[in-house]
C-alpha cells in the first residue's frame, strides 16, 4: 500500500516538471486486493456488492514500465446470493506464453478460487504502457461491482501536464439487482437486462432516486490533462463529451496513437482511451456528459441517460453544478465523433497477410436465449482448457464442439471476420495480446498498412475484420465483453500452438492447487 502511494507521488512530480526525476521504480510492485461483500450506493440505492477493497470502482493500481506487478487477491466473499468464488482478469495486459496460467480466464486457463482462499497473480509488464483495468472474470459476477482500473504509466509527458490517480475516469453501468437474478431474467425473457443507472467515476442518478452529488474532476486553468477513460460497464456503451472542450485521443486500449482531436466519442465495454483535455476555457463548471446508451430503456424505467454525468471543475470555480442545460453532448454538424478507422498507432505495424481465415457468424435464435458463433453456443468445460492441454489434449478432436476452440499452429497470422448481421454490437475481446483492426464497424475501409491495434473491438452493422498472431502458444479466450452475452454462449478459445504449450508453460504449484480446491467446494460456494 505504501509502495503504491509513494509511486503515485513520484509519477505526479515527474509529469509536472520535465526536470523533476521520479525515483527509479522498484522492479517488483506488490499489491493486495481483498475481494469482499459490502454495501455500496453509487446512485443512492444501497445494495450489497462484490467489491475490491470495499469500494466501487476498486482502487486504481499504478505501475511503471518494466515492473513486475504481483497482485495477491484474497477472496473474502461471504454472501451466497452472489457467486462466492472468484478469479481476476487484468484486461489488456500482455501475457507471455509461459505465464498464460496467470490470465485468470475461468475454465480456459484456470479454476476460480473459493471463499477464504487467495491467489497471487504475477504479471511482468515488460515495455507495455497504457491504461488497463481489472475485473472478476467469473460468469456475470463483475456486474455486482468487482471492477477497477490497472494503470501502468506511460511517460509521454510532452503532450500533457498532468496524469495521476485523479485523471483516471471511469464510466460504468450500475445494477440494483444481483447479476444472478439478471441472468435468470435474461434466460426467461430473452431480454438483455438494462442497467438502473450510468455512473461517471462511481456516481450517478436514476429516475426517482436521490440527488447524489455528481463526481467532479478538478482542473487548474492552463494545464493539459491526460484523462484515462475506461468503460468498466457490464453491458453499456457510453457517448462521452465535455461541454466546450475538445478531446485529443492519444491512446486506445494501451496502444499509443497519433493525436486525433474529437469532441465526442463512443466507448464500448472494456475499451480504454487516453484523451488530452486542455483546461483552456473560462474558470467555471462544465458538464461532463457520460451518456449511457442502452438500446431499450423502456425495459428499465429507472434508467435515464441524461442523469449519467459528471462535472469538470476549474480551480477557482464555485462548488456547484454548471448552470448550463443538461445535454447529451454535441449533435449533428457540431459533433466531431471519434471513428475507430481514423485512429492510427504512433508506431504503426502493417498487418501481416493471413495464413488462416475464420468467419464468426454471431446469432441468437428466436426461441432460446443462447448466443451462438457459427451455430454453437460456448459452454465452459468443467476442466479448464489449459489443464487438459498440459495433460496432452492438444488435438482438435480433444475439444467438444461446445468449447468453440479453434486450433492453429504457432507463428501464424489468423484473420477473423465477425458478422453481426442484426447490428447487435458485440465488443469482442482477445486475451493476452492485441489484434489489428483491418475493418471497423461503420466503415468499408480495409486498412492493412497502419491499422489500430487494440484488444476490444465492437461489431455491428455488417462485419469487422481482425487479425492476430499465434506467436504465444496457449489457449486464449476470445469473447464478447458484454457479460450477459458471454454467459449465454458468445465465447470462443483460440488454441495457439497447443502442442508446444507443454514445453513453455510451467505453472506454479499454487495454480495446480486451484482446480482440486474448486472441485471440492460445495456447489453453493463455487
Ligand atoms: C487493499 O486493501 C488492503 C488491506 O487493507 C491493503 O493492504 C492494500 O494495499 C489495498 N490495495 C490497494 C490497491 O489499495
Ligand atoms: C446478501 O446480499 C443480498 C443481496 O443480494 C442482501 O439482500 C442480503 O442482505 C445480504 N446478506 C448479508 C448478510 O449481508
Ligand atoms: C523493451 O525495449 C527495449 C528497447 O527497445 C528492448 O531492448 C527490450 O527487449 C524490450 N523488453 C521487452 C521485455 O520487450
Ligand atoms: C429486480 O428484481 C426484482 C425482484 O426479483 C424484480 O421485481 C425487478 O423487476 C427486477 N428489476 C429489474 C430492473 O430487472
Ligand atoms: C458551451 O457549450 C454549450 C453547450 O454546447 C453552448 O450552448 C455554449 O454556447 C458554449 N459556450 C461557449 C462559450 O462556447
Ligand atoms: C463498455 O461498453 C460496452 C458496450 O459496447 C459493453 O458491452 C461493455 O461491457 C462496457 N464495459 C467495458 C468495461 O468496456
Ligand atoms: C430524465 O431526467 C431529466 C433531468 O432530470 C428529465 O428532464 C427527464 O424528464 C428524465 N427523463 C425521463 C424519461 O424520465
Ligand atoms: C483469406 O482471405 C483473404 C481475403 O480476405 C484472401 O485474400 C486470402 O487468400 C485468404 N487466405 C487463406 C489462407 O485462405
Ligand atoms: C428453435 O427453432 C429452430 C428452427 O427455427 C429449431 O430448429 C430448434 O429446434 C428450436 N429450438 C428450440 C430449443 O426450440
Ligand atoms: C458437447 O457438445 C454437445 C453438442 O455437440 C452438447 O450437447 C454437449 O452438452 C457438450 N458436452 C459438454 C460436456 O459440454
Ligand atoms: C516462432 O517464432 C519464434 C521467434 O521467431 C521462434 O523462436 C520459434 O522457434 C518459432 N516457433 C515455431 C514453431 O516456428
Ligand atoms: C450500416 O452501414 C450502411 C453502409 O455501410 C449505412 O448506410 C447505414 O446507415 C448503417 N446503419 C447503421 C444502423 O449504422
Ligand atoms: Cu455481445
Amino acid at each position: 500500500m505504501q509502495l503504491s502511494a509513494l509511486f503515485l507521488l513520484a509519477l505526479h512530480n515527474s509529469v509536472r516538471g520535465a526536470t523533476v526525476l521520479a525515483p527509479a521504480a522498484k522492479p517488483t510492485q506488490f499489491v493486495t486486493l481483498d475481494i469482499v461483500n459490502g454495501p455500496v450506493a453509487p446512485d443512492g440505492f444501497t445494495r450489497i456488492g462484490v467489491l475490491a477493497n470495499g469500494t466501487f470502482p476498486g482502487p486504481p493500481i499504478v505501475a511503471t514500465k518494466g515492473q513486475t506487478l504481483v497482485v495477491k487477491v484474497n477472496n473474502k466473499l461471504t454472501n451466497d446470493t452472489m457467486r462466492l468464488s472468484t478469479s481476476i482478469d487484468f484486461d489488456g495486459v500482455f501475457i507471455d506464453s509461459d505465464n498464460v496460467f496467470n490470465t485468470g480466464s475461468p475454465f480456459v486457463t484456470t479454476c476460480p478460487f473459493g471463499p477464504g482462499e487467495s491467489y497471487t497473480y504475477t504479471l511482468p509488464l515488460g515495455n507495455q504502457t497504457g491504461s488497463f483495468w481489472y475485473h472478476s472474470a467469473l460468469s456475470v459476477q463483475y456486474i455486482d461491482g468487482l471492477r477497477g482500473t490497472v494503470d501502468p504509466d506511460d511517460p509521454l509527458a510532452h503532450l500533457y501536464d498532468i496524469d495521476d490517480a485523479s485523471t483516471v475516469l471511469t464510466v460504468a453501468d450500475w445494477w440494483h439487482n444481483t447479476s444472478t437474478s439478471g441472468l435468470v431474467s435474461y434466460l426467461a425473457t430473452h431480454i438483455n437486462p438494462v442497467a438502473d443507472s450510468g455512473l461517471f467515476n462511481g456516481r450517478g442518478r436514476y429516475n426517482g432516486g436521490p440527488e447524489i452529488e455528481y463526481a467532479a474532476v478538478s482542473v487548474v486553468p492552463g494545464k493539459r490533462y491526460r484523462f484515462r477513460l475506461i468503460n468498466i460497464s457490464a453491458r453499456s456503451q457510453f457517448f462521452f463529451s465535455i461541454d466546450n472542450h475538445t478531446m485529443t485521443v492519444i491512446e486506445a486500449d494501451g496502444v499509443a496513437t497519433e493525436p486525433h482531436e474529437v469532441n465526442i466519442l463512443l466507448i464500448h465495454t472494456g475499451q480504454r482511451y487516453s484523451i488530452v483535455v486542455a483546461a483552456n476555457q473560462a474558470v467555471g463548471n462544465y458538464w461532463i456528459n457520460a451518456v449511457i446508451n442502452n438500446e431499450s430503456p423502456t425495459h428499465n424505467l429507472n434508467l435515464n441517460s441524461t442523469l449519467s454525468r459528471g462535472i469538470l471543475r476549474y480551480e477557482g470555480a464555485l462548488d456547484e453544478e454548471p448552470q448550463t442545460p443538461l445535454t447529451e453532448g454535441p449533435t449533428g454538424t457540431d459533433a466531431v465523433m471519434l471513428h475507430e478507422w481514423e485512429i492510427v498507432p504512433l508506431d504503426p505495424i502493417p498487418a501481416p497477410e493471413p495464413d488462416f481465415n475464420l468467419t464468426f457468424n454471431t446469432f441468437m435464435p428466436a426461441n432460446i436465449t443462447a448466443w451462438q458463433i457459427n451455430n454453437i453456443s460456448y459452454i465452459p468445460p468443467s476442466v479448464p482448457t489449459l489443464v487438459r492441454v498440459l495433460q496432452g489434449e492438444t488435438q482438435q478432436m480433444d475439444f467438444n464442439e461446445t468449447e468453440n476452440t479453434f486450433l492453429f499452429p504457432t507463428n501464424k497470422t489468423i484473420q477473423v471476420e465477425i458478422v453481426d448481421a442484426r447490428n447487435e454490437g458485440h465488443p469482442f475481446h482477445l486475451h493476452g495480446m492485441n489484434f489489428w483492426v483491418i475493418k471497423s464497424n461503420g466503415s468499408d475501409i480495409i486498412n492493412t498498412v497502419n491499422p489500430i491495434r487494440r484488444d476490444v473491438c465492437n461489431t455491428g452493422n455488417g462485419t469487422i475484420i481482425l487479425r492476430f498472431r499465434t506467436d504465444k502458444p496457449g489457449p486464449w479466450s476470445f469473447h464478447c465483453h458484454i457479460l450477459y452475452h458471454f454467459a449465454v454462449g458468445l465465447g470462443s478459445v483460440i488454441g495457439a500452438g497447443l502442442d508446444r504449450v507443454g514445453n513453455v508453460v510451467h505453472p506454479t504449484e499454487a495454480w495446480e492447487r486451484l482446480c482440486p480446491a474448486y472441485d471440492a467446494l460445495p456447489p453453493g460456494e463455487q
Side-chain angles (χ1 to χ4, degrees):
M1 175 145 208
Q2 285 296 24
L3 209 157
S4 115
L6 280 174
F7 181 70
L8 272 178
L9 192 62
L11 175 63
H12 193 77
N13 286 339
S14 71
V15 294
R16 281 220 155 169
T19 54
V20 183
L21 286 178
K26 298 229 165 70
T28 301
Q29 188 184 156
F30 296 94
V31 178
T32 301
L33 291 177
D34 290 338
I35 311 305
V36 299
N37 290 122
V40 265
D43 62 0
F45 177 95
T46 303
R47 59 163 289 188
I48 305 294
V50 174
L51 308 169
N53 274 21
T55 63
F56 178 82
I61 299 173
V62 179
T64 199
K65 187 166 154 172
Q67 278 190 320
T68 292
L69 201 52
V70 177
V71 186
K72 181 173 187 204
V73 178
N74 301 313
N75 181 344
K76 298 188 173 176
L77 296 172
T78 53
N79 189 314
D80 65 9
T81 66
M82 291 162 281
R83 291 289 287 263
L84 284 174
S85 288
T86 196
S87 177
I88 307 294
D89 175 14
F90 295 85
D91 249 36
V93 173
F94 294 163
I95 307 273
D96 280 336
S97 238
D98 58 1
N99 201 30
V100 64
F101 61 92
N102 269 322
T103 54
S105 309
F107 309 109
V108 178
T109 62
T110 192
C111 282
F113 52 101
E117 300 293 326
S118 300
Y119 184 74
T120 300
Y121 297 86
T122 300
L123 305 165
L125 299 175
N127 287 339
Q128 198 181 13
T129 59
S131 309
F132 306 89
W133 63 296
Y134 60 88
H135 63 86
S136 165
L138 187 60
S139 186
V140 289
Q141 186 182 62
Y142 92 32
I143 291 166
D144 295 315
L146 176 54
R147 293 169 274 177
T149 52
V150 184
D151 185 9
D153 162 47
D154 178 20
L156 281 170
H158 63 289
L159 291 174
Y160 49 88
D161 306 301
I162 315 286
D163 176 29
D164 59 22
S166 77
T167 61
V168 175
L169 309 183
T170 59
V171 289
D173 46 20
W174 188 249
W175 308 77
H176 293 172
N177 281 351
T178 64
S179 58
T180 319
S181 68
L183 190 54
V184 168
S185 130
Y186 188 24
L187 289 168
T189 62
H190 219 61
I191 296 169
N192 200 344
V194 171
D196 292 286
S197 57
L199 308 181
F200 171 76
N201 273 7
R203 288 200 232 149
R205 297 180 188 172
Y206 61 97
N207 271 333
E211 299 214 328
I212 291 297
E213 202 178 325
Y214 287 120
V217 178
S218 301
V219 294
V220 173
K223 296 288 184 195
R224 298 163 305 166
Y225 291 79
R226 176 188 184 142
F227 291 124
R228 297 167 182 271
L229 177 65
I230 309 189
N231 171 3
I232 60 170
S233 297
R235 80 155 286 209
S236 311
Q237 53 196 11
F238 285 78
F239 284 103
F240 186 87
S241 62
I242 306 175
D243 279 359
N244 306 106
H245 290 75
T246 60
M247 308 181 281
T248 302
V249 174
I250 59 166
E251 178 221 322
D253 295 0
V255 173
T257 66
E258 297 276 2
H260 181 81
E261 192 177 293
V262 298
N263 62 17
I264 183 164
L265 60 82
L266 177 59
I267 185 164
H268 295 282
T269 291
Q271 291 186 327
R272 294 88 66 199
Y273 287 110
S274 278
I275 52 176
V276 175
V277 174
N280 57 8
Q281 298 294 304
V283 167
N285 289 296
Y286 296 85
W287 285 120
I288 295 173
N289 312 300
V291 179
I292 183 169
N293 184 33
N294 275 116
E295 67 273 22
S296 38
T298 54
H299 290 141
N300 187 345
L301 297 176
N302 280 345
L303 186 70
N304 183 334
S305 58
T306 308
L307 299 178
S308 160
R309 54 184 56 250
I311 299 168
L312 187 73
R313 174 165 296 144
Y314 280 62
E315 191 180 80
L318 292 174
D319 191 359
E320 62 178 19
E321 291 186 358
Q323 305 300 309
T324 48
L326 304 175
T327 74
E328 299 201 342
T331 53
T333 51
D334 290 339
V336 183
M337 178 69 77
L338 176 67
H339 295 130
E340 184 175 65
W341 61 91
E342 289 172 353
I343 44 175
V344 170
L346 205 52
D347 172 23
I349 304 176
E353 282 308 302
D355 301 300
F356 295 91
N357 287 332
L358 208 56
T359 301
F360 278 8
N361 272 302
T362 61
F363 185 68
M364 183 188 280
N367 52 3
I368 177 176
T369 305
W371 277 103
Q372 301 175 337
I373 292 173
N374 303 339
N375 299 324
I376 302 289
S377 281
Y378 177 74
I379 303 174
S382 53
V383 180
T385 313
L386 180 61
V387 172
R388 281 151 46 217
V389 169
L390 288 170
Q391 289 165 358
E393 295 190 20
T394 60
Q395 306 300 315
Q396 191 67 58
M397 64 182 186
D398 294 324
F399 300 95
N400 195 41
E401 197 177 25
T402 52
E403 292 181 61
N404 266 349
T405 297
F406 299 88
L407 304 198
F408 300 103
T410 319
N411 292 354
K412 300 295 182 195
T413 300
I414 316 304
Q415 172 164 303
V416 190
E417 180 170 359
I418 305 180
V419 184
D420 175 9
R422 289 197 205 142
N423 199 16
E424 296 275 351
H426 301 296
F428 264 82
H429 170 53
L430 178 62
H431 282 244
M433 67 196 98
N434 282 332
F435 39 67
W436 288 269
V437 182
I438 303 301
K439 180 187 173 301
S440 295
N441 171 35
S443 163
D444 291 330
I445 296 169
I446 305 273
N447 179 1
T448 59
V449 177
N450 59 358
I452 190 68
R453 307 183 300 275
R454 62 188 320 167
D455 58 65
V456 185
C457 182
N458 196 49
T459 68
N461 197 18
T463 65
I464 60 169
I465 303 177
L466 314 175
R467 287 184 192 168
F468 56 84
R469 295 276 303 164
T470 56
D471 295 339
K472 299 177 178 184
W476 303 100
S477 186
F478 183 44
H479 62 88
C480 174
H481 223 311
I482 295 181
L483 270 274
Y484 285 121
H485 290 182
F486 186 27
V488 301
L490 202 48
S492 71
V493 175
I494 302 297
L498 293 188
D499 52 329
R500 296 182 178 265
V501 169
N503 296 336
V504 287
V505 185
H506 304 288
T508 56
E509 277 176 35
W511 178 85
E512 286 179 356
R513 280 196 296 271
L514 289 174
C515 284
Y518 182 78
D519 292 340
L521 286 174
E525 289 188 19
Q526 283 189 336

